[in-house]
Amino acid sequence: MSDRFVYVTYIRTTPQKLWDALLKPEFQRAYWFGVHQESEWKKGASWKMVFPDGRVADTGEVLEIDPPRHLVLKWRNEFRPELKVEGYSRCTYDLETVADTVKLTITHEIDKTASQFIVAVSGGWPKVLSSLKSFLETGNALPETQKYPAKA
Amino acid sequence: MTMARQSKYVTYLRGSREGLWQTLKQPEFASAYAAGCLGNGNTDPWAPSAGEVHEIDYPRLLVLSCRDQSSRAIFEMEEDGDTVQVTVTHEFARERPPVEARCHDWPNVLSSLKSYLETGHAGVRHA
């Protein structure tokens, strides 16, 4: 049994632009609460997400990569002990051209039930991906996502 | 009415609830979510004869029902600064709704709605 969160959005852009916005730190910081990711983006490479102050948020590994269409990450939370203890999740990015948009599907799953990690990412992904869509279509991310929340 | 199954979709868009509400009433969007999501053909759910607008608490809550009452879509709109959080919960009366009434189309409709409100263009829908 596993828990899973699936989110679909359609973004008016090209697969390559969306791929770059998803993977390149200078774009990530603009719409992802100021955090960025570090990886060599090849199969087997390590992967981590880093807060603006340098703390590590999440770590993992690139399991599959086929630019600009498909990416699978092994992904574990590192900054909330109750989430870290759940171990590794798997996050799949799929990009597909549909008319003049790119359909982006994020599937985030973990091999356990009643996962607090999946609850947490279920709240985060809609904000991040809504902001990414605004960023690519209008040039501006949503205000709330442009920097890390002061209280956190 | 007790509902057996539900799906939920959340998106955030730049704009106001009032602007969003006006857009939801535009025929191109109304027919899109009626056809693609509620399985109501091309019916405009806001037309006086349709009787499908179930509940309104302007501009916070809108409930649209399928004509045969087999499903309903609940729109909740929360404002935070100049961002609106939209949550669409689609409830089904049966555990296994007919294929045509299962909602696979909310991400498409709401992506299009977000583009329209933020850029003035809805984009080309594939459906």
Side-chain angles (χ1 to χ4, degrees):
Chain A
M1 291 293 286
S2 63
D3 276 7
R4 141 195 303 220
F5 174 74
V6 181
Y7 194 86
V8 175
T9 184
Y10 294 80
I11 301 177
R12 201 183 312 138
T13 187
T14 65
Q16 189 60 52
K17 283 181 182 167
L18 178 53
W19 184 262
D20 288 344
L22 286 165
L23 267 57
K24 292 191 172 176
E26 63 267 32
F27 296 126
Q28 292 164 346
R29 286 192 186 94
Y31 66 83
W32 204 319
F33 297 99
V35 307
H36 73 279
Q37 298 170 27
E38 294 177 13
S39 177
E40 289 179 23
W41 299 116
K42 56 187 185 190
K43 189 177 161 100
S46 65
W47 167 88
K48 65 181 174 181
M49 192 181 293
V50 183
F51 286 124
D53 65 5
R55 283 180 303 141
V56 173
D58 305 83
T59 62
E61 181 187 325
V62 177
L63 296 175
E64 296 171 29
I65 185 161
D66 179 16
R69 299 283 170 193
H70 181 71
L71 173 69
V72 183
L73 295 172
K74 192 171 159 182
W75 180 323
R76 184 177 72 186
N77 181 283
E78 298 291 344
F79 71 105
R80 287 175 60 184
E82 74 279 17
L83 302 184
K84 181 171 181 170
V85 76
E86 292 191 4
Y88 285 102
S89 65
R90 232 166 76 104
C91 186
T92 303
Y93 297 44
D94 286 302
L95 290 72
E96 178 193 351
T97 302
V98 175
D100 67 347
T101 68
V102 182
K103 178 183 182 183
L104 171 65
T105 305
I106 299 285
T107 305
H108 210 150
E109 54 201 325
I110 197 165
D111 288 332
K112 57 194 285 117
T113 54
S115 165
Q116 287 306 300
F117 177 80
I118 294 299
V119 170
V121 300
S122 303
W125 278 121
K127 284 183 186 170
V128 167
L129 297 173
S130 294
S131 189
L132 168 61
K133 178 173 160 71
S134 296
F135 176 68
L136 284 169
E137 293 187 0
T138 73
N140 292 299
L142 295 175
E144 188 201 353
T145 65
Q146 290 180 12
K147 60 181 182 185
Y148 201 69
K151 281 191 296 183
Chain B
M1 173 167 44
T2 305
M3 292 294 187
R5 184 175 167 275
Q6 68 171 42
S7 67
K8 186 185 272 197
Y9 189 84
V10 178
T11 186
Y12 297 80
L13 47 89
R14 181 172 273 184
S16 66
R17 293 192 292 195
E18 289 77 8
L20 172 60
W21 198 274
Q22 288 310 309
T23 307
L24 283 170
K25 292 182 76 165
Q26 288 185 16
E28 65 179 291
F29 285 108
S31 58
Y33 53 74
C37 298
L38 293 170
N40 280 349
N42 285 319
T43 310
D44 175 359
W46 296 84
S49 60
E52 289 154 352
V53 176
H54 189 71
E55 189 180 337
I56 286 175
D57 180 5
Y58 179 85
R60 190 187 66 80
L61 177 74
L62 166 66
V63 181
L64 300 172
S65 289
C66 187
R67 185 175 289 161
D68 66 3
Q69 302 293 309
S70 65
S71 78
R72 65 184 173 198
I74 301 162
F75 289 72
E76 293 167 277
M77 290 158 261
E78 298 290 332
E79 227 165 42
D80 177 16
D82 64 354
T83 302
V84 182
Q85 176 185 337
V86 185
T87 304
V88 178
T89 307
H90 196 173
E91 298 182 331
F92 302 91
R94 280 177 285 167
E95 185 62 37
R96 291 181 173 277
V99 171
E100 66 276 12
R102 281 185 215 173
C103 183
H104 300 298
D105 218 24
W106 287 115
N108 192 338
V109 169
L110 290 168
S111 292
S112 181
L113 189 67
K114 177 173 161 71
S115 294
Y116 183 80
L117 279 165
E118 295 185 358
T119 72
H121 302 281
V124 177
R125 298 180 71 258
H126 73 282

